[in-house]
Amino acid sequence: VHGDAWQIEDLVATGRVAERGLENWTVAGRAVHAGRDLAEPDAIAVFKQLRPTSNPGGPPAAVQVATAATAVTSRVGGFSLSSPEASADTPPQTLVLATNRLPLGISELAAVRFGWAAVLDGQADLRLDIDLSRMAAEDQPRPGLGLHGRVAATDVHLLDATSLQEHFFIQRIESPLDCVVDGEGITVRELTAESPLFTLQASGRLPINAAAGWSWLEAAAVADFTLAAEIDLAAVARGRPSGLELRPDVRVTDGSLRVAAASRAEDGQRVVEVRLSTEDLEAIQGSRTLRWDQPLTAWLRGGRGPQASGLRLGEARVISPAFEIAAASHETYTEVTWNADLQRLGGELGQVLDMEG
């Protein structure tokens, strides 16, 4: 779509053909952005460079290739995918993926193929053990991939797939991974992500194919999970080209947002709780600085009985120095209570929200 060209260079592979198929194999190479004027490679010259030569006193060819694969992976853009040797009575069930400053811009190929709305740019270092044992296991309700290892990425840009306009920038993100991914959700034993923008910790099972908002909470209520995140709003504002806007003339410049969510079984039903809180919010409107030093907190609790088709709101509350809103759901009606300091409400929220009328 954008006329970009990508090359896989220094491709090397080794493996052993056994009765049950290919074993103890490794494929390695380098992903390189070739720009927009990619010349046709001289295939004959490349073949001559890689053609094996007779060397009776040297190491076996497989050892030579494995050594070359390690050398290739250590270079910028290097990657390797391998299947370690399995036991005699067990087929290979693990893949090992490693990358070194892999260019994330190659994601535009997948974006074109699968119609993604966004692409990534930046560099990533991965070391993942991919567990395939769940894919064909009869005792598993859903086939899935186990991912264990560590992910680190630098200078990550989230771009519009068509215009390449930047949506977001993260200087660095780093996280250990220990989870299982299937077609409906991700089961997390350990997920800890850290970047200058946010910290995130999660465990349990989270849906990945549900819509955002209430639909996601309904899907998440089926299994146990916990999630906690803290977001630096100043860093988020710096990471967005247009800043973090509350309205066209007001942009957030400082503050933090905390998010906590959990799902569990309680008294014969599934319960979901979500809590949001902000602290030390600061924004600018033209040349004027707006500050809200006192926190704003919001939380909700929903329940889902054994025979219920969806999640029902139990209680919800929003608390700030200027107002408090509480809602409680009953069998046939929902009760909402408001308590507001109108003078303070108009003065404080009127600075950032359009209160006219």
Side-chain angles (χ1 to χ4, degrees), residues 40-48:
E40 289 294 328
D42 185 349
I44 300 300
V46 172
F47 176 78
K48 288 180 178 178

Side-chain angles (χ1 to χ4, degrees), residues 179-205:
C179 60
V180 177
V181 182
D182 57 53
E184 298 180 9
I186 174 171
T187 301
V188 179
R189 285 183 289 269
E190 178 193 7
L191 174 59
T192 302
E194 295 185 5
S195 86
L197 273 68
F198 64 88
T199 59
L200 171 68
Q201 292 182 323
S203 64
R205 181 167 177 80

Side-chain angles (χ1 to χ4, degrees), residues 11-14 22 24-29 69 73 78-84 94-99 128-130 132:
L11 189 65
V12 293
T14 181
L22 191 62
N24 197 21
W25 55 265
T26 298
V27 176
T73 308
F79 66 87
S80 71
L81 183 65
S82 61
S83 178
T94 302
L95 300 177
V96 178
L97 172 65
T99 70
L128 292 179
D129 293 335
I130 305 171
L132 306 176

Side-chain angles (χ1 to χ4, degrees), residues 19-40:
E19 270 186 46
R20 57 191 180 191
L22 191 62
E23 294 182 346
N24 197 21
W25 55 265
T26 298
V27 176
R30 293 175 61 231
V32 179
H33 184 220
R36 300 190 174 183
D37 296 308
L38 176 62
E40 289 294 328

Side-chain angles (χ1 to χ4, degrees), residues 47-61:
F47 176 78
K48 288 180 178 178
Q49 292 172 8
L50 297 180
R51 187 174 57 189
T53 57
S54 175
N55 184 12

Side-chain angles (χ1 to χ4, degrees), residues 231-240 242-247 249-257 279-293 352:
I231 303 169
D232 184 338
L233 297 178
V236 172
R238 291 193 298 269
R240 289 176 55 86
S242 59
L244 188 58
E245 295 183 344
L246 290 178
R247 68 183 198 188
D249 61 332
V250 178
R251 297 198 312 276
V252 174
T253 56
D254 204 355
S256 62
L257 172 66
E279 288 187 0
D280 300 327
L281 281 181
E282 183 176 297
I284 58 172
Q285 183 182 40
S287 59
R288 187 166 62 124
T289 300
L290 314 173
R291 290 187 178 90
W292 302 270
D293 298 327
V352 292

